[in-house]
Amino acid sequence: MEDGERETWTTDEFGPCHTGAVGVVLDDGTVPRPVYFAASSGGGGRAVSQWTVYDGRPRQGPRAAALRAVCSCGWNGSEQRLDWEEIGDQDLQTAGAGAADICMRDWDEHTVEVERSAVPLPEAVTILLGQLELEVEKLAKSSPLAAIRAARRLEVLAAQTAYWPARDARRDADLGQAAAALGLDEPGARALLARFGRWSLS
């Protein structure tokens, strides 16, 4: 994904390894560079990749031909073409809102596929995790501090139970295999295994 300020989406499980956004495609099929907006004071500025700035107007970015969902993992969604004859003088944020919503749904489907491709959890574990989540949420309504203590116990449990699996995975699986099984990119998998296995990345 291009650098530059923009609205992005993540999931709790996959975090920055699958950061989604609305991407822009130009008429020639290329992806535009971020648009640089100088500060009014004359010093510095900011680079912006938010899709709404690509409307071809003066001091904005080149005109977008299509929007598509993009992900930091390299995945791209299908293009949603923009009809500029229909858009006319409308603000792109308003005129392109429907296409942007489709992009977000496409990215949601992508993360569902990532979850499906990750190593499956036994049904009993999935059920227990779901029940535990509900019980902690219920506890939070009656005793927030007890819910925090429960969450802390979960942190301790995670650290204890994941230590040896992380070390075994480091020994038995290459980083690409681990990343695919966890639904992460390789740096994300390396960091997760190091955190649970308690070794330094440096």
Side-chain angles (χ1 to χ4, degrees):
M1 294 193 337
E2 288 289 326
D3 293 331
E5 296 176 19
R6 68 165 119 187
E7 178 186 0
T8 58
W9 322 302
T10 59
T11 69
D12 290 336
E13 181 173 1
F14 303 123
C17 294
H18 290 280
T19 301
V22 176
V24 171
V25 180
L26 301 180
D27 268 327
D28 62 2
T30 62
V31 175
R33 299 167 76 83
V35 179
Y36 184 78
F37 293 96
S40 57
S41 61
R46 60 195 185 107
V48 177
S49 296
Q50 180 69 10
W51 63 272
T52 53
V53 305
Y54 296 97
D55 60 8
R57 295 178 182 178
R59 294 185 294 279
Q60 295 281 91
R63 194 166 76 172
L67 304 180
R68 66 180 177 186
V70 296
C71 185
S72 59
C73 71
W75 170 90
N76 293 316
S78 58
E79 293 185 5
Q80 308 301 317
R81 305 297 294 181
L82 298 173
D83 185 343
W84 282 96
E85 288 189 7
E86 182 179 330
I87 292 172
D89 293 331
Q90 293 182 76
D91 181 70
L92 180 56
Q93 183 165 359
T94 300
D101 286 345
I102 293 173
C103 292
M104 187 172 188
R105 290 198 295 271
D106 285 350
W107 179 81
D108 284 340
E109 291 176 7
H110 163 63
T111 60
V112 169
E113 288 303 315
V114 170
E115 186 173 2
R116 286 179 184 151
S117 68
V119 61
L121 295 178
E123 184 179 3
V125 172
T126 300
I127 292 172
L128 283 172
L129 290 173
Q131 291 175 336
L132 185 57
E133 181 180 6
L134 289 174
E135 289 299 322
V136 174
E137 287 177 352
K138 188 189 306 180
L139 182 60
K141 295 176 182 177
S142 60
S143 178
L145 289 175
I148 291 171
R149 186 179 180 207
R152 177 60 182 149
R153 291 288 297 271
L154 289 174
E155 285 184 333
V156 172
L157 180 63
Q160 291 174 340
T161 57
Y163 176 77
W164 286 114
R167 289 184 169 264
D168 290 344
R170 185 187 192 190
R171 183 191 67 236
D172 298 337
D174 65 40
L175 194 56
Q177 291 173 325
L182 297 170
L184 306 175
D185 57 20
E186 291 192 7
R190 183 187 296 111
L192 182 64
L193 292 177
R195 178 162 64 86
F196 281 139
R198 301 175 211 163
W199 64 78
S200 172
L201 287 174
S202 58

